Structure formats: C-alpha cells, structure tokens
Amino acid sequence: MNYISTRGNAPELSFSDVLLTGLASDGGLYVPTNWPTLPPLGNDYAETATSIMSAYIGDDIPHDVLARLVSDAYATFRHPAIAPLVQIDDDLWIQELFHGPTLAFKDLALQVVGRLFDHVLAERNERVTIVGATSGDTGSAAIDAVKACDNVDIVILYPHGRTSEVQRRQMTTVDSSNVHAVAIDGTFDDCQDLVKAMFADEQLRRDCNLSAVNSINWARVMAQIVYYVTASQSLAGSSTFCVPTGNFGNVLAGWIARSAGASIDHLLIASNANDILSRFVNDRDMSAAAVVPTLSPSMDIQVSSNFERLLFEMNDRDGGLTAEQLQRFRSTGKLEVEEDGFHQWISSTFSAERVDDEQTLSEIGRVYRETGMLIDPHTATGTAAARRQAREGATVCLSTAHPAKFPDAVERATGIRPELPSALGDLMERPEHITQLSSDLADVSAFVRQVSRVGR
Ligand SMILES: *Cc1c(COP(=O)(O)O)cnc(C)c1O
C-alpha cells in the first residue's frame, strides 16, 4: 500500500514513512493510492481494528505485531466494548468514544498511533522529538499515548491559565521522563506560532528530529474508520452518522468507511458558531472568519485542515487543481469550487447543521431530563443537529468527550456537576510537573534541545 499527496507533487511513500512524515513535501496531505474495500471483520473491537488497519498498512508491519500493538492500545480503555452504543431516543443513538485514558475520542486513534511510532522507530533505530501546541484535548491525548514510548520525547506547549483544570492536570500529572508539559505565557495562537517557528528552523528540526502527531496525520484518520464500521454493523439497515466537527478528521474517517462499503447512508456535520463547514455544505460559502470561543472549544476552528483530503476526491484526485484552489483560499480567504456537479457530489453524502451555545445548553438539559444521562457540549451539538434532520433509519451521534471533561457547561445546563470516572478520581490530588516559559522562541527552542534525547 502506497500513499500520494493531495497536491500531486511529492514522492509516493509507504505507510511507515507517511506515519513519521506528517505533511507531504509539497504541503499536501497523504492519501492511499487507492481506497481498499472493507476486509473481513474480527470478533471484538481490537481484532476488527487490526483487520481494517492492516488493509491500509500493507506489508510495512507484520500482522501479528500489529495485532499486539492494537490490543495493547485498547487495553487502556475502561469499557470492554471500547466504543459502545447507547440509545437515547427513537432511532437515535450515541456512540461513546470517551472511554479511553484522557476521556476524549482522540484516544481511539492516538493510543494506536503512539505505539505505531515506537515500533517503527525501534525498527529503524531512530528517535523523534514530538512538539505540539494544544488548547486542551489533543495535548493530553498525545502525552498519554507516548508516555511509555522508549523512542519518543514529547514537548507540549499550552497557554498558561487558559486550559481547564482537568485538561491541564491530564498533561501535567503524567510522571514520565520523556514527557514535558510547558505552560507558555501567552495564548493558544502564541503556542501554535512557536511550534510553527520551531518546525521552520531547519537546524533544530534536524538536530532533534522534530515530529508531530496533529490531526492531519494519516494514521489518526485510519484508526478512526474502525468505530464507524463496528457501529454500522451492529445496527439494522443503513444508518446516518452525526459528527461534531472541528478539523474534519473524524467525519473524513466516516466518509472513508462509507466508501469502503460500511452500511452508512449519510454523514451529518455538526458545527458550533464556528460554522465554515456548515456554510460550505449548505450555501457553497467557504470563507474564513475570526474564531469565536464557544462551549465546545475543540470545535473552535475556522480552517479544517483535513477537508483537503475530501477536496482532492471531489476534484477526481487532481492534485494540481487542489493545490491551486488552496493557494487561492490562502490569499483570498475564500474557497472557490466548480459549481458543476459540486452540490450533487456533496449532498449525496453530507449535510450540515450549526448549533450555537444556547441550543447546546438546552440540548444537554433535554437529554438529561429525558434519559438521566449527562452529555458533554461537543456531543450535544451532534444530538441537537440530528434532531433537526429526521432521516430514514437509525442515527448514530458520536459522543466525542466525557461530560466530566467539560463540567462547567454541563452543570450550567443541568445543575449537576459530572464526576470523573474512578480511574481518574485522584487526578486533582496527583503532583503536577510543569515547566513555565515565556513566549520567547529562543528560550523554548533551547528547552526542546535540552530535553530531546535524539543523538544521545
Ligand atoms: C478534537 C475534538 C473534536 C473535533 O474533531 P475533528 O476530528 O477535529 O473534527 C470534537 N470533539 C472533541 C471533544 C474533540 O476533542
């Protein structure tokens, strides 16, 4: 199995190279040269995951090794079904994707990706230094995924005083010598700018073998295909999936599962007030606006990086055209696509709804009154969106975070403060390991050099 760039001008790579490379050299994202159909599935979640992923990994990792890595990854989950379905209304289901170690759906992919990294690096006798910026969820999931990896050091920058206490503690209470949570005096954008500047520093990049596990990483998308398949398999008939969306990684995995033959009829994109994708799907208007903070912060994104992979498919895999459209998008802030056939192509599979904070709170309240369940604000954008679009057959709303990860919003909506699962019950008492730095690039780069074990 080989991979090509969505911008058509980068070398074809195998899975392992794509895993470690991230972005293609032409600025594009890697996709398989052809989309495999669904292989025979397994008897449990880990077996099915191994079977599906090996179709995308090919010969790069032997099947028995992959099976062991995947089984280890999902052994960290608190629920035996890994991604269980729960019914909340007639034809309306929630798929709980928050039973992993950091209580958000990113664990389903990152627990596997961390282990794939460590395996491939050990085979090559190499090390990397993962550097990333986080406003909360991604950083904790990435840290937990690599905390036991021998060949990975990780430095995560977060804005000092601007994450929730649970999010911060999930990063700072990990006691591993390869993990470095750094509080930056600045905003999330400052953190992201520092990371970009470090990647642009060729010398630092080479000396520390810098790497990233951000949401454009193909292996993350690949691992997310699995729960669409297991859920659609356990429901009769063809279902609709409703996906709270930020960077488009999660819903893209749904599109891939559908194309591979899973019985998925339709994909419903739920946005919050940052609604660029809803405007694009409904009104053909893809124009970037300023990001506004909402109760569902992990969806506070204006430019959804993974959308590029879908755009490439819409363009019949014409990398030149895709590169041109994105170039224009960057300079004008507006994505122009051919009108011919566009609407039919998109609406045959996707629709979209925008759900604002007030509607999110009212939905959390409604689900609590009707079922006694507490749901988090990201999940609530999904269930609210699903109720607006009645469709034939079952609708599965992906529940992307545990309610205790966003307790303030849940308490505001229901009067009840959700409790952390017992495995995390002592999170508030565990000692924290924090490095605090100014947003000065030289200081932050020096810190990365100091902790990186590349070349030692
Ligand atoms: C990351 C995240 C999302 C958005 O996922 P994308 O793949 O970026 O669309 C939604 N909800 C939660 C809780 C998240 O952590």
Side-chain angles (χ1 to χ4, degrees):
M1 170 60 79
N2 273 348
Y3 288 80
I4 53 172
S5 165
T6 50
R7 300 197 190 172
N9 202 14
E12 206 169 300
L13 297 180
S14 75
F15 174 81
S16 301
D17 290 322
V18 168
L19 175 76
L20 300 182
T21 304
L23 210 61
S25 58
D26 60 0
L29 309 187
Y30 275 106
V31 287
T33 46
N34 61 293
W35 293 108
T37 52
L38 283 183
L41 306 181
N43 294 316
D44 62 18
Y45 192 91
E47 263 187 32
T48 296
T50 304
S51 174
I52 291 174
M53 289 189 228
S54 61
Y56 297 94
I57 292 175
D59 301 328
D60 272 19
I61 300 175
H63 193 273
D64 57 326
V65 175
L66 181 65
R68 179 173 48 77
L69 297 176
V70 170
S71 153
D72 287 352
Y74 293 121
T76 64
F77 278 57
R78 296 177 310 276
H79 196 292
I82 310 301
L85 282 171
V86 177
Q87 189 163 17
I88 61 162
D89 207 338
D90 291 343
D91 288 333
L92 192 56
W93 301 72
I94 278 180
Q95 188 173 27
E96 294 181 344
L97 303 178
F98 53 70
H99 294 290
T102 72
L103 313 180
F105 89 99
K106 293 185 173 70
D107 289 330
L108 279 136
L110 280 167
Q111 287 293 323
V112 175
V113 171
R115 286 164 173 85
L116 291 174
F117 254 75
D118 213 31
H119 168 76
V120 171
L121 289 168
E123 289 274 290
R124 296 180 177 194
N125 201 12
E126 279 177 29
R127 286 180 162 285
V128 294
T129 311
I130 291 177
V131 175
T134 188
S135 55
D137 283 353
T138 311
S140 49
I143 283 175
D144 200 279
V146 303
K147 67 185 181 192
C149 293
D150 296 328
N151 305 296
V152 178
D153 298 301
I154 187 165
V155 178
I156 294 291
L157 312 182
Y158 68 89
H160 179 58
R162 292 176 201 241
T163 59
S164 79
E165 184 170 12
V166 170
Q167 287 177 325
R168 184 191 75 238
R169 285 184 163 274
Q170 282 185 321
M171 295 188 275
T172 59
T173 59
V174 174
D175 187 17
S176 294
S177 60
N178 67 333
V179 168
H180 309 278
V182 179
I184 295 290
D185 278 323
T187 62
F188 171 58
D189 286 338
D190 295 331
C191 297
Q192 229 169 3
D193 289 345
L194 284 165
V195 169
K196 275 192 202 136
M198 286 192 279
F199 273 95
D201 178 345
E202 277 302 325
Q203 189 72 40
L204 180 73
R205 192 173 170 157
R206 225 170 317 124
D207 290 349
C208 299
N209 210 3
L210 292 190
S211 187
V213 288
N214 49 22
S215 73
I216 54 108
N217 191 295
W218 161 254
R220 284 181 61 176
V221 176
M222 170 186 79
Q224 290 167 358
I225 299 168
V226 179
Y227 46 78
Y228 286 91
V229 175
T230 60
S232 61
Q233 236 201 349
S234 50
L235 293 166
S238 199
S239 17
T240 294
F241 280 76
C242 178
V243 189
T245 302
N247 259 320
F248 206 77
N250 201 359
V251 66
L252 177 75
W255 179 83
I256 297 169
R258 182 181 185 273
S259 310
S263 58
I264 298 171
D265 186 41
H266 203 76
L267 295 162
L268 174 54
I269 294 166
S271 330
N272 61 23
N274 298 291
D275 62 347
I276 185 169
L277 285 168
S278 297
R279 283 184 281 120
F280 183 61
V281 170
N282 294 324
D283 311 318
R284 240 178 280 179
D285 168 24
M286 175 88 99
S287 49
V291 175
V292 295
T294 71
L295 295 174
S296 40
S298 301
M299 296 158 67
D300 290 348
I301 286 164
Q302 276 292 343
V303 178
S304 304
S305 43
N306 264 300
F307 186 76
E308 177 164 347
R309 288 187 163 111
L310 190 75
L311 186 64
F312 180 63
E313 301 298 333
M314 273 172 64
N315 290 334
D316 276 331
R317 307 202 124 204
D318 182 338
L321 177 59
T322 308
E324 217 177 278
Q325 288 170 335
L326 290 163
Q327 181 70 38
R328 250 181 294 144
F329 180 54
R330 242 193 325 278
S331 55
T332 65
K334 192 163 166 49
L335 183 69
E336 311 273 356
V337 292
E338 298 291 324
E339 305 215 345
D340 266 7
F342 155 78
H343 218 237
Q344 206 186 346
W345 197 96
I346 284 279
S347 59
S348 67
T349 311
F350 295 95
S351 51
E353 292 284 346
R354 170 192 200 271
V355 178
D356 66 22
D357 276 355
E358 199 183 319
Q359 293 159 336
T360 301
L361 288 170
S362 125
E363 175 66 16
I364 296 173
R366 173 176 175 175
V367 170
Y368 177 64
R369 280 192 313 277
E370 291 180 1
T371 69
M373 274 173 67
L374 297 174
I375 60 170
D376 104 288
H378 302 80
T379 306
T381 64
T383 57
R387 291 188 205 273
R388 285 191 211 154
Q389 296 216 355
R391 289 187 173 270
E392 193 81 8
T395 294
V396 179
C397 299
L398 300 187
S399 181
T400 51
H402 191 287
K405 203 149 187 182
F406 300 93
D408 296 337
V410 177
E411 188 173 11
R412 222 170 111 189
T414 63
I416 298 188
R417 197 159 180 89
E419 279 182 27
L420 287 168
S422 55
L424 280 162
D426 65 345
L427 186 68
M428 297 301 170
E429 282 88 56
R430 291 183 202 162
E432 294 189 82
H433 311 272
I434 307 178
T435 304
Q436 202 173 330
L437 293 175
S438 75
S439 58
D440 181 60
L441 177 61
D443 286 354
V444 179
S445 303
F447 177 77
V448 170
R449 280 186 184 280
Q450 179 200 326
V451 300
S452 169
R453 291 174 299 166
V454 169
R456 293 199 196 149

